[in-house]
Amino acid sequence: MYAQLVETGVKRLKTLDEMSEQERAFQERIDAEIKIEAKNWMPDAYRQTLIRQISQHAHSEIVGMLPEGNWVTRAPSLKRKLQLMAKIQDEAGHGLYLYSAMETLGADRDTEIERLHSGKAKYSSIFNYPTLSWADIGAVGWLVDGAAIVNQVVLQRTSYGPYSRAMIRICKEESFHQRQGYEILLTMMREGNQAQKDMVQDAINRLWWPSLMMFGPSDEHSPNSAQSMAWKIKRQSNDELRQRFIDQTVPQLELLGCTAPDPELKWNAERGHYDFGQIQWDEFYEVLKGNGPCNQERVATRRQAIEDGAWVRAAAVAHAKKKANKNAA
Ligand code: BYC
C-alpha cells in the first residue's frame, strides 16, 4: 500500500528505503495499527500536519457555534431553545477537547486562537454561510453535523491517540445533533404550513452544496491527502467520504419529501452509488480565501467575544493569585 501511495500521491512521499531508521520504525508502528502517543518520537511533519488539522477542526467547532447562536433567541418554543442551547454548548466542549489534543503536540492554544482572530487560520468553509430561517437550524444539524459525522467516524481510528480519543466522545454527541436537526425538518414538513415547508426546501437548496464542500477538494486536488493517508491520520479520502455522505443522505432527503438542488443526482445501479453534479470549486476556494458571505462577520464576532470577555479572564487570574497568596501566608 505504501508503494502505491508513493506512486499516486499528489506530493511525492519518501520510500521506506529513503527513511531514517527512526522514521522507518515510526512508519512500521503506524502500519501495525499502534497508536502514536504524545511522548513518542514523531517526524516533525507528522506533528505539524496534526497541529494544522486539529487546530482547524477546533476552530470549526468554535466558529460553528455562531450561525446557531444567532437563533437561540428566535427558537420557536422553549423545548427547541433548550435543545439548541445544549447543542451549542456541546460544540464548545468539542472545541475544548480538540484544543487540548492539539496542546499535547506542543502547540500553544493562545497562538493558534490568535491566528484564527487575525484571519490567518482556516476553519470549515460551511460556517461562512448565513442561517436565514429556523429551517436552517434543522438543516445545519442534519446536513452539517451529518457530514461532520461521516468524516469523524473515520477519524476515531486516526493514528494519533489523543485526537482519536477526542473523536469518540465527539461522534456520540454529533449523532444526537444530527437527529435533532432532522427531527426539526421532519416536523416542519409533516406538521407545518406551506410557508414552513418552503423554508425547509429553501434551506436545503442553500446548504446542500456547501455541505458537500466540507469534505475538502477532490482527491486529485488535495495536496495533504497522500501523506496523511500514509500516516493514517486520514483513513479514507475526501471523495470517498463525500460519496458515503451522499449515499446515506439521499434516502433521508426523500423521506422528508424534499429535493436536492442537483438535477444530476441519481442512483447508479452499476456503481452502487448516487451520481451527482459538479461541485463549484471556484466558490469553495473563494470562501477559503476569506471571500465567503460571512467570513468577515464570523472572525469579527469571535474577536469581539474575546475582547468582551477580557475582564472575566483578568478577574479570574486576580482571584487565583489572591487565593494562592492567602494559601502561602
Ligand atoms: N473548509 O489537502 P486537503 C462541526 C483546506 S465542525 C476549509 O484535502 P486535509 C460542527 C485544508 O485545510 C467539524 N478548509 O486538506 C461545529 C487544506 O488547507 P491547508 C469540522 C478546507 O487537511 C459546530 C486545503 O484546503 N470537521 O461539525 O488533508 C456546529 C487542502 O485540502 C476544507 C473537521 O474539521 C473546508 N471544508 O483534508 C455544527 C474535520 N477542506 O491547511 C457542526 C477534520 C479542505 O493545507 N479535518 N480545506 O492550508 C479533516 O478531516 C481534514 O482537514 C479535511 C481536509 C478533510 C477537512
Side-chain angles (χ1 to χ4, degrees):
M1 170 201 124
Y2 200 83
Q4 196 190 341
L5 280 166
V6 171
E7 285 299 311
T8 58
V10 172
K11 279 182 192 164
R12 186 181 170 278
L13 308 183
K14 276 187 189 173
T15 63
L16 284 173
D17 287 345
E18 288 167 342
M19 289 179 188
S20 68
E21 210 171 298
Q22 240 175 348
E23 286 171 333
R24 216 171 9 251
F26 174 82
Q27 188 63 47
E28 280 163 8
R29 189 184 166 113
I30 291 205
D31 290 344
E33 298 291 338
I34 302 169
K35 292 264 179 272
I36 306 299
E37 297 297 339
K39 288 189 176 156
N40 297 143
W41 182 87
M42 60 187 82
D44 194 48
Y46 176 84
R47 188 184 297 279
Q48 294 312 325
T49 298
L50 278 167
I51 292 174
R52 178 184 64 79
Q53 179 167 326
I54 301 175
S55 64
Q56 287 175 3
H57 196 161
H59 299 331
S60 305
E61 301 284 354
I62 300 295
V63 177
M65 295 165 71
L66 302 177
E68 298 188 319
N70 199 25
W71 277 88
V72 170
T73 54
R74 289 177 287 166
S77 69
L78 182 60
K79 185 181 107 180
R80 294 295 186 199
K81 191 192 287 267
L82 288 171
Q83 278 176 354
L84 182 58
M85 282 182 354
K87 178 183 189 305
I88 295 169
Q89 283 171 1
D90 285 350
E91 308 299 358
H94 300 173
L96 296 183
Y97 311 149
L98 287 163
Y99 284 125
S100 299
M102 178 199 79
E103 283 173 322
T104 66
L105 292 154
D108 177 56
R109 188 185 301 218
D110 289 343
T111 307
E112 295 306 321
I113 290 182
E114 182 40 43
R115 278 174 42 75
L116 171 68
H117 292 165
S118 62
K120 287 189 195 125
K122 289 196 174 79
Y123 55 84
S124 186
S125 48
I126 187 76
F127 301 118
N128 292 308
Y129 291 84
T131 41
L132 300 179
S133 77
W134 175 249
D136 286 27
I137 296 303
V140 166
W142 172 48
L143 293 175
V144 176
D145 286 79
I149 294 167
V150 169
N151 170 285
Q152 289 171 173
V153 160
V154 187
L155 285 175
Q156 291 178 118
R157 293 191 299 114
T158 193
S159 57
Y160 186 56
Y163 192 24
S164 142
R165 289 188 287 276
M167 279 300 123
I168 293 169
R169 169 109 181 241
I170 291 177
C171 279
K172 288 195 177 118
E173 293 177 354
E174 299 287 31
S175 302
F176 169 73
H177 298 165
Q178 195 259 358
R179 283 172 206 186
Q180 68 87 32
Y182 191 66
E183 199 261 339
I184 289 175
L185 299 183
L186 209 52
T187 306
M188 288 178 83
M189 290 305 290
R190 292 197 171 158
E191 296 169 25
N193 58 27
Q194 191 55 47
Q196 288 163 329
K197 290 179 188 175
D198 291 347
M199 262 184 224
V200 174
Q201 183 60 59
D202 177 59
I204 295 170
N205 289 349
R206 283 181 290 102
L207 291 169
W208 179 262
W209 290 109
S211 300
L212 300 188
M213 294 173 192
M214 284 176 72
F215 296 93
S218 56
D219 294 349
E220 70 270 26
H221 295 112
S222 163
N224 301 301
S225 277
Q227 183 62 78
S228 286
M229 297 278 273
W231 279 330
K232 298 191 180 179
I233 293 173
K234 283 167 90 162
R235 315 218 38 156
Q236 282 192 298
S237 78
N238 298 359
D239 285 333
E240 282 170 335
L241 294 175
R242 188 170 9 250
Q243 182 73 63
R244 179 176 306 160
F245 171 69
I246 292 171
D247 290 348
Q248 74 182 39
T249 303
V250 174
Q252 297 167 12
L253 179 72
E254 286 168 356
L255 188 71
L256 278 177
C258 293
T259 55
D262 179 1
E264 291 174 54
L265 185 70
K266 61 171 186 301
W267 179 250
N268 181 328
E270 220 169 278
R271 287 201 315 122
H273 293 291
Y274 282 90
D275 289 339
F276 56 98
Q278 263 302 319
I279 292 176
Q280 295 304 308
W281 290 115
D282 290 353
E283 175 183 323
F284 171 76
Y285 288 113
E286 277 305 306
V287 174
L288 258 58
K289 273 195 259 165
N291 301 328
C294 299
N295 294 60
Q296 290 186 7
E297 183 187 328
R298 298 292 183 239
V299 172
T301 308
R302 282 293 318 152
R303 226 184 280 130
Q304 187 68 46
I306 285 282
E307 281 168 24
D308 291 349
W311 71 270
V312 180
R313 292 190 300 279
V317 170
H319 177 71
K321 272 189 189 153
K322 203 170 158 193
K323 213 168 162 193
N325 288 344
K326 211 169 160 189
N327 289 344

